Amino acid sequence: MDLKQHIRQMPDFPEPGINFCDISTLLAHPGAWQTTIEQLADAIAPHRPAVLAAIESRGFLLAAPLAVRLDVGFCMVRKSGKLPGPTSALSYDLEYGSDAIEIQQDAVRSGQRVVVVDDLLATGGTMNAAIRLLTDAGAEVIAAAVVIELGFLGARERLDVPLVSLVTYDE
């Protein structure tokens, strides 16, 4: 199945000049959604993770069923102030400002093998921050996985871990 056929392009969203890759049409198609989860599970399984760390919020939609399918743990990487209990945070720069993410302090144990999951890799700022946050917490981040990679932005080369992507846009 060509998953690209199930991803809607939304020009000028969220601002002029941005071509947003909308996975809601993929999620709405049971066959495409199931194929997405199967392909990601097949690609992630050889890394033998103990935990999938999902980046808010579309990453949650992917990592939760993947964690069940792979029989591994699941942790959330969220914007600051969204998680209860003690958290560890990381501030990072984006091309248009700065942001901060956090995890619960007990989300991962030292040495646990973690794969970071999100729907899309664009410039890699948030993915790199998530990898750094989890590494600082003691996890061994072994890979990252996304449905969509905007290859023309070159983020893959800026990641310190192998990347699995199902669909790549080169322009």
Side-chain angles (χ1 to χ4, degrees):
M1 175 180 293
D2 182 2
L3 295 177
K4 203 178 259 191
Q5 293 179 352
H6 297 280
I7 299 168
R8 176 173 45 194
Q9 301 295 306
M10 301 296 291
D12 298 321
F13 182 83
E15 58 187 59
I18 302 292
N19 190 26
F20 186 81
C21 296
D22 181 16
I23 65 164
S24 64
T25 46
L26 183 141
L27 297 170
H29 188 281
W33 178 226
Q34 183 171 353
T35 298
T36 299
I37 297 302
E38 288 171 357
Q39 288 182 7
L40 282 171
D42 289 346
I44 291 170
H47 293 283
R48 299 181 339 275
V51 175
L52 299 183
I55 298 175
E56 183 174 345
S57 67
R58 289 178 299 271
F60 297 172
L61 299 171
L62 297 159
L66 283 167
V68 170
R69 184 178 201 114
L70 296 171
D71 193 29
V72 300
F74 170 83
C75 81
M76 296 177 282
V77 178
R78 298 205 65 185
K79 294 184 185 284
S80 292
K82 302 287 185 178
L83 292 170
T87 61
S88 297
L90 178 73
S91 295
Y92 61 102
D93 292 326
L94 296 167
E95 61 277 7
Y96 51 84
S98 63
D99 209 345
I101 54 173
E102 62 185 21
I103 58 172
Q104 291 172 310
Q105 287 181 355
D106 61 357
V108 294
R109 292 189 313 276
S110 182
Q112 271 190 315
R113 295 172 60 85
V114 176
V115 172
V116 182
V117 178
D118 204 359
D119 69 318
L120 182 136
L121 180 69
T123 62
T126 303
M127 181 66 75
N128 268 322
I131 291 167
R132 200 162 99 224
L133 178 62
L134 290 155
T135 301
D136 288 351
E140 179 188 354
V141 180
I142 51 175
V146 296
V147 175
I148 303 164
E149 176 185 1
L150 302 182
F152 60 93
L153 294 176
R156 176 185 289 265
E157 290 77 30
R158 291 188 293 277
L159 295 180
D160 291 332
V161 298
L163 174 71
V164 170
S165 64
L166 302 184
V167 174
T168 301
Y169 290 92
D170 290 319
E171 54 183 69

